[in-house]
Amino acid sequence: MSQIQNFFRRVLIMAAQGGGRRGGRGGRGGQGEVSEDVKVSKYLSWVLRHGAEKEKLPIDEKGFIPLKAILSKPKMKGYDEGFVQKIVDTNDKKRFVTERRDDGQLYIRAAQGHSIKCVNAEKFMKRITMENVNEYPTVVHGTYRAPWKVIERDGLCRMSRQHIHMAVGLPGENEVISGMRNKCQVVIHINLRLALEDGIPFYASENNVVLTPGIGPDGYLPSKYFEKVTFR
């Protein structure tokens, strides 16, 4: 990972944490115990996006893992298929997708956000083209004031993930359930049409997150594709 990528990672983690301990849902930040739903959701997000290989879980190129294999892990002791399916169905950001296959097993994957190299996320996402670009009139990336000057100079970077993540509007707007944190201080509006004209691939996930691998080995989206920037 380059020095610039490391810088982005440190700054974004600090900003997302508000410079200290986190509060919020489930009693986090010293306000009580983390709820069972949140605890399991966090573990699933990590395993399905980043940790399957470390946990020695079988994962296919579409990101699916047999739920039975995940339930066999110590951190999932006491939970069953029904509990996990409830989390999938009620997750406000629609982070997970399940499917029952011919072998009778339930499989689960993350909707987006993968860093696992064997997963080809582009196989299960919708390709955005000049033919359907009008379906995405607004595409924005949220970030923080601390890294803004570097982003303004170098562009957005996918860092350790496969894609740069964007939303189809601001959090809370119609159809916007994921792709941007509520705490973001800087909103970068992307000129999607120009980027597509220049041959940069873009995709949309099931939970309506727009993604691009960027260009070059490090996956950058240059600032020439920033249509406008607003500060919150």
Side-chain angles (χ1 to χ4, degrees):
M1 186 179 291
S2 69
Q3 288 183 337
I4 292 175
Q5 288 173 310
N6 270 320
F7 170 78
F8 276 133
R9 185 173 183 273
R10 289 195 304 270
V11 170
L12 293 177
I13 288 173
M14 289 176 64
Q17 293 177 340
R21 298 174 66 183
R22 298 176 68 178
R25 187 177 58 174
R28 288 175 289 181
Q31 296 179 11
E33 293 298 321
V34 176
S35 74
E36 296 298 300
D37 285 19
V38 170
K39 193 185 329 183
V40 172
S41 181
K42 279 178 168 290
Y43 180 69
L44 289 173
S45 290
W46 175 74
V47 163
L48 296 170
R49 290 173 168 176
H50 316 295
E53 293 169 332
K54 184 175 181 179
E55 292 283 87
K56 295 182 171 52
L57 289 166
I59 185 167
D60 64 24
E61 67 174 351
K62 290 187 177 181
F64 278 107
I65 298 175
L67 182 56
K68 183 179 179 180
I70 296 176
L71 290 172
S72 71
K73 292 299 175 180
K75 288 188 177 180
M76 294 296 290
K77 185 177 180 180
Y79 302 110
D80 59 15
E81 181 180 296
F83 186 86
V84 173
Q85 187 63 59
K86 184 191 76 170
I87 289 174
V88 173
D89 294 339
T90 60
N91 185 266
D92 58 349
K93 293 184 180 293
K94 303 299 179 187
R95 288 190 174 103
F96 311 111
V97 177
T98 56
E99 68 175 30
R100 187 151 324 256
R101 296 186 177 175
D102 293 340
D103 60 6
Q105 290 196 66
L106 190 68
Y107 289 73
I108 185 170
R109 70 166 165 82
Q112 90 289 320
H114 301 84
S115 64
I116 302 170
K117 288 184 171 55
C118 72
V119 175
N120 185 355
E122 292 161 13
K123 282 187 172 291
F124 55 80
M125 293 191 296
K126 175 183 176 182
R127 183 73 181 258
I128 300 176
T129 66
M130 295 303 292
E131 285 69 39
N132 62 16
V133 66
N134 289 335
E135 297 176 21
Y136 304 91
T138 301
V139 174
V140 296
H141 177 87
T143 187
Y144 301 91
R145 290 181 184 272
W148 164 242
K149 288 298 180 184
V150 177
I151 293 173
E152 184 181 30
R153 183 189 69 211
D154 299 332
L156 294 168
C157 178
R158 69 182 182 222
M159 299 188 288
S160 62
R161 292 189 179 186
Q162 294 183 2
H163 300 93
I164 298 164
H165 289 204
M166 289 152 281
V168 293
L170 297 178
E173 290 183 352
N174 188 34
E175 297 184 358
V176 179
I177 59 173
S178 193
M180 179 177 167
R181 292 179 183 271
N182 282 312
K183 293 181 180 179
C184 287
Q185 302 162 326
V186 183
V187 180
I188 302 169
H189 293 252
I190 304 300
N191 190 330
L192 180 59
R193 186 176 292 274
L194 177 61
L196 289 172
E197 287 174 350
D198 286 352
I200 300 176
F202 281 78
Y203 303 87
S205 65
E206 287 102 330
N207 58 345
N208 222 17
V209 175
V210 174
L211 307 102
T212 179
I215 57 177
D218 292 324
Y220 279 91
L221 184 65
S223 56
K224 68 175 281 189
Y225 302 108
F226 297 176
E227 193 166 48
K228 71 174 181 177
V229 178
T230 57
F231 296 85
R232 304 171 77 193

